[in-house]
Amino acid sequence: MRYREYLPGPALRGVVHRFWTLRGEATDGPADLQRAMPDGRPELIFNLADRFEARRGRSVERQPLALLVGPT
């Protein structure tokens, strides 16, 4: 996986803290747990690839392609 952060341009700095991207190939096994520290900011997430899936017992939950999360 490749994670990168970008600062917004001057026109957005008053309303956007940062942009970030995550790229990489999915694995067949369980993903490594990655903790995120709370920062009190909401996040808009736009997934431009396949939906993420979470397996819970025998069921599979699919994340939407766009969602609002937070504030964390």
Side-chain angles (χ1 to χ4, degrees):
M1 291 285 184
R2 186 175 66 216
Y3 172 83
R4 292 186 65 188
E5 290 187 8
Y6 305 90
L7 294 176
L12 292 176
R13 284 194 186 137
V15 293
V16 175
H17 178 68
R18 75 182 63 149
F19 296 101
W20 58 268
T21 60
L22 178 67
R23 292 180 180 208
E25 297 295 323
T27 62
D28 289 335
D32 292 335
L33 178 63
Q34 296 181 1
R35 297 189 189 276
M37 296 302 294
D39 61 10
R41 294 181 176 98
E43 296 182 359
L44 284 172
I45 300 172
F46 301 100
N47 182 353
L48 304 178
D50 294 332
R51 289 180 166 183
F52 287 100
E53 293 181 346
R55 289 180 172 74
R56 308 218 190 285
R58 294 180 182 216
S59 67
V60 175
E61 296 176 18
R62 296 184 78 194
Q63 208 176 51
L65 294 175
L67 59 148
L68 173 65
V69 178
T72 56

